[in-house]
Amino acid sequence: METTGTNRPILDPDAAADLARALFDTPGEFIGRAPVPVLSFEPGSPLRQRREYFGEVYGAIVARLGEPTLYGGSACGPDVRWRDGGRTVLLNGTGQWALLSVHDTALLEAAERRSFSWGGAWTITEPHDVDLLPYLWRLDRGGPGERPAEHPSARPMPGLDHFESALGLLLSAWIEQLPVQVGDDWAHFTLTSAADRGRRLQVSYGIGDGLLVSVDDRDGPCSPERELLMRSRGWHSHDRGWWQAEFPDPDRADAAEGARVVLTELRARGTVSPDQLRARDITCRDRGELLLPGLGIRA
């Protein structure tokens, strides 16, 4: 990243925390300046390594500013905010860097609403741009500061291939970002489809249990043929009528595989379009409000 006098990297966690305090206390001196890099990653760094390195900077800043107003993350890295109606201190990831900046809240959120409203693929032939959204997930636990009056949602996904990509990106983001921001707490949601009413597919991740996807197959036959069929779709094990795919220490490839298993099952049971899907029971250990705008389906 090219640097100038206003965005020269500060790669010491304590110095980054000092800057965060200055942005928070005297935002008028810094609004409009370029974000300051406070952490660098090697290209292709493992999610676990990115998580560890980011945790050092995040921990130092939280020790100085207190818990954030909003937790979250994009496909490129974490998105953590200390927010009120006038200014937002933002610690976010952009691929190879973690950046620290302060913004006029109204201007920042107006620009993000435009990204959510006008971004994304308009037809199934266009590539998605979920990786460019400001954040894929957001968690509000009622921490210090002021929360927005409303949260934007992404443009609906036009095709199941787009949704599979979005789900894989969300799961990768969770693997990297959730343990640093919420510790041992797990995140979970249930997918349902109008094509197969009553069927539940469950998706969860927590650093203790890893990534788990499962489907309710209690109405399916118990036979060797059924087992072969379900294993061919990618499921790993069967327990009391639920088929599961477990990834105890997941990485990007496991996130993509988890998304593939979910979409394979949805297609096999008749889902043909994302507008048939709903995300329900969205929670992060039943504490606060967890939003998943990056999925591009209705809750």
Side-chain angles (χ1 to χ4, degrees):
M1 171 180 290
E2 183 179 350
T3 63
T4 69
T6 59
N7 71 338
R8 191 175 303 279
I10 298 176
L11 303 183
D12 174 74
D14 289 334
D18 289 340
L19 174 62
R21 183 82 250 180
L23 298 179
F24 188 84
D25 288 342
T26 57
E29 298 181 21
F30 299 97
I31 287 177
R33 294 191 184 184
V36 177
V38 293
L39 182 63
S40 65
F41 301 104
E42 294 294 327
S45 297
L47 298 181
R48 291 181 292 274
Q49 186 182 85
R50 290 171 60 92
R51 187 170 67 207
E52 177 184 348
Y53 291 171
F54 181 79
E56 296 178 5
V57 175
Y58 175 78
I61 294 174
V62 167
R64 197 69 52 89
L65 294 188
E67 291 298 321
T69 312
L70 298 166
Y71 305 87
S74 72
C76 298
D79 183 286
V80 186
R81 304 181 182 209
W82 292 261
R83 177 199 185 279
D84 63 22
R87 56 95 168 88
T88 297
V89 174
L90 174 61
L91 176 62
N92 69 316
T94 58
Q96 290 181 240
W97 297 91
L99 305 176
L100 190 59
S101 55
V102 64
H103 305 264
D104 178 287
T105 296
L107 293 178
L108 173 65
E109 294 179 356
E112 291 178 341
R113 284 194 295 272
R114 290 193 292 272
S115 295
F116 281 109
S117 296
W118 299 104
W122 293 72
T123 69
I124 59 173
T125 61
E126 294 181 76
H128 73 77
D129 63 357
V130 177
D131 51 332
L132 300 179
L133 288 175
Y135 48 88
L136 305 181
W137 68 276
R138 167 171 279 183
L139 175 63
D140 179 357
R141 283 188 158 170
E146 302 172 14
R147 53 245 352 106
E150 59 181 1
H151 299 279
S153 57
R155 175 171 296 283
M157 294 292 166
L160 288 178
D161 288 342
H162 296 81
F163 177 70
E164 181 177 341
S165 296
L167 179 57
L169 288 173
L170 172 68
L171 298 180
S172 289
W174 275 5
I175 292 165
E176 176 187 344
Q177 300 156 17
L178 274 174
V180 174
Q181 298 182 46
V182 301
D184 295 334
D185 290 357
W186 42 262
H188 165 94
F189 65 95
T190 298
L191 282 173
T192 61
S193 173
D196 188 22
R197 294 189 184 278
R199 183 83 51 202
R200 290 178 293 161
L201 285 95
Q202 298 186 342
V203 181
S204 64
Y205 172 74
I207 194 168
D209 297 325
L211 174 63
L212 174 68
V213 296
S214 58
V215 62
D216 185 352
D217 192 49
R218 287 175 292 182
D219 58 344
C222 184
S223 66
E225 293 79 14
R226 185 65 173 181
E227 180 171 355
L228 285 173
L229 175 65
M230 296 303 285
R231 290 188 183 277
S232 74
R233 294 177 184 171
W235 299 107
H236 300 166
S237 63
H238 185 246
D239 181 31
R240 289 171 290 185
W242 288 77
W243 281 94
Q244 302 171 333
E246 306 103 337
F247 307 91
D249 189 17
D251 56 17
R252 290 183 183 88
D254 294 326
E257 174 62 11
R260 187 200 67 79
V261 172
V262 168
L263 268 294
T264 297
E265 192 68 25
L266 287 169
R267 288 185 171 102
R269 295 180 186 270
T271 299
V272 297
S273 172
D275 62 12
Q276 296 174 287
L277 300 176
R278 298 291 183 272
R280 307 182 187 277
D281 306 323
I282 304 170
T283 183
C284 186
R285 203 170 186 173
D286 301 324
R287 286 186 55 212
E289 181 182 19
L290 177 62
L291 304 171
L292 306 177
L295 287 180
I297 60 174
R298 284 184 286 176

